[in-house]
Amino acid sequence: MTVPAKLAGFAVVLALAFGAAFALGSLADPVTSEAAEQGGAHAEDPTMAGGDTDGSHADDDGHEQDGLEAEPASAALPGLAVSQDGYTLVPRTTSVPAGRSVPYGFTVTGPDGAPVTAYTESHEKDLHLIVVRRDLVGFQHVHPTRSADGTWTVDLDLSAPGAYRVFADFEPAALGGGLTLGTDLFVGGDFSPAPLPAAAATDRVGGFDVALDGAAVAGEETELVFTVSKEGTPVTDLQPYLGAFGHLVALRAGDLAYLHTHPAEDAHPGDVGGPQVRFATTFPTAGAYRLFLDFAVDGTVHTAEFSVTVGEEGGRP
């Protein structure tokens, strides 16, 4: 066979091969086939274009989710991230020696990288600082002082060594909403982790007995009712503290996710309350949680602590 004849035969074989591949590709790619039927133009996948045509889209597992857009993968419960919405919690240091009165300083920087100096007051304060060791002991709720340059300072009781979690709960004036940012603080010394206390419905602090009632269902709003008594007598002279008759912090054991809680009623200077203090909160998942209730009597703030277990079907603390 001559060389030209060989080349012609090779060209025929290539043409047949490409034709078969194109036919198979059309069967395997319905988007391309549909585009061809609509005039040969390429039909762009709306998810690749950055939008959805029907207000829903699939998550990473292929399950369709309702809404205009899904929650970003980076979104998480408050307190798990050091930075959110352009705001960042910047501590002066991440490790300190143990001590009963240890100075701690930090700033909150905004989207422009500068320290934030304008805040919207929430619960009567510009910023609430929550500090607790990662095994959920040594809870502190303090209110730092802010200097003109945006630096916050406060003395902390860090007499027990270990790894602590620091939460800054605040609302930047420019944001129009609240944030809770978290960072770690390491306190030098011998560390002996404490086990999480067993779930219990009562706690005793400062001579007061506090009882907790409320059926917690994961993923649903739960009303928590705390009843304060002393020597068997209901306490009816609770004082306003941070705009309510109590302030509640809830933390999820394991990752220390910070849950926002909301008092059922406000309290103003001169008001008295009790014996019950009510809050609403949502436990996002089943598991163990630690609750810290601050309440004030005779000018002194006391903190009652509870462990609760939330089941998928709900359960009583």
Side-chain angles (χ1 to χ4, degrees), residues 159-182:
S159 52
Y164 285 74
R165 190 67 175 170
V166 177
F167 302 93
D169 189 341
F170 60 95
E171 181 177 338
L175 184 63
L179 294 173
T180 303
L181 303 180

Side-chain angles (χ1 to χ4, degrees), residues 26-229:
S26 297
L27 291 173
D29 187 357
V31 174
T32 304
S33 298
E34 184 178 353
E37 292 174 1
Q38 295 175 355
H42 176 67
E44 184 177 19
D45 184 348
T47 61
M48 297 299 293
D52 298 312
T53 58
D54 62 352
S56 65
H57 64 280
D59 60 16
D60 292 339
D61 295 324
H63 303 296
E64 188 175 272
Q65 300 178 354
D66 294 330
L68 293 179
E69 65 178 40
E71 186 174 290
S74 60
L77 290 171
L80 296 180
V82 73
S83 184
Q84 182 181 342
D85 296 338
Y87 294 86
T88 302
L89 176 59
V90 184
R92 283 182 173 177
T93 181
T94 58
S95 61
V96 295
R100 291 195 176 276
S101 184
V102 179
Y104 183 73
F106 63 94
T107 60
V108 176
T109 59
D112 60 356
V116 177
T117 58
Y119 293 81
T120 299
E121 188 177 277
S122 176
H123 297 291
E124 299 185 345
K125 298 293 182 179
D126 281 352
L127 185 144
H128 301 262
L129 196 72
I130 308 299
V131 181
V132 66
R133 206 168 65 175
R134 276 199 167 272
D135 55 357
L136 292 170
V137 301
F139 175 87
Q140 298 170 71
H141 177 181
V142 295
H143 302 105
T145 300
R146 177 171 51 86
S147 62
D149 67 357
T151 300
W152 295 90
T153 55
V154 68
D155 289 341
L156 300 176
D157 182 356
L158 301 174
S159 52
Y164 285 74
R165 190 67 175 170
V166 177
F167 302 93
D169 189 341
F170 60 95
E171 181 177 338
L175 184 63
L179 294 173
T180 303
L181 303 180
T183 188
D184 285 335
L185 175 63
F186 301 98
V187 180
D190 293 334
F191 169 48
S192 298
L196 186 71
T202 60
D203 188 36
R204 185 174 180 83
V205 55
F208 295 91
D209 295 302
V210 184
L212 168 61
D213 188 27
V217 179
E220 298 182 10
E221 186 174 80
T222 298
E223 183 183 56
L224 302 175
V225 182
F226 298 87
T227 303
V228 184
S229 62

Side-chain angles (χ1 to χ4, degrees), residues 136 196-198 249-253 288-292 305-308:
L136 292 170
L196 186 71
V249 171
L251 301 174
R252 185 169 62 184
Y289 294 81
R290 192 73 169 154
L291 309 182
F292 302 90
E305 303 182 4
F306 299 85
S307 294
V308 299

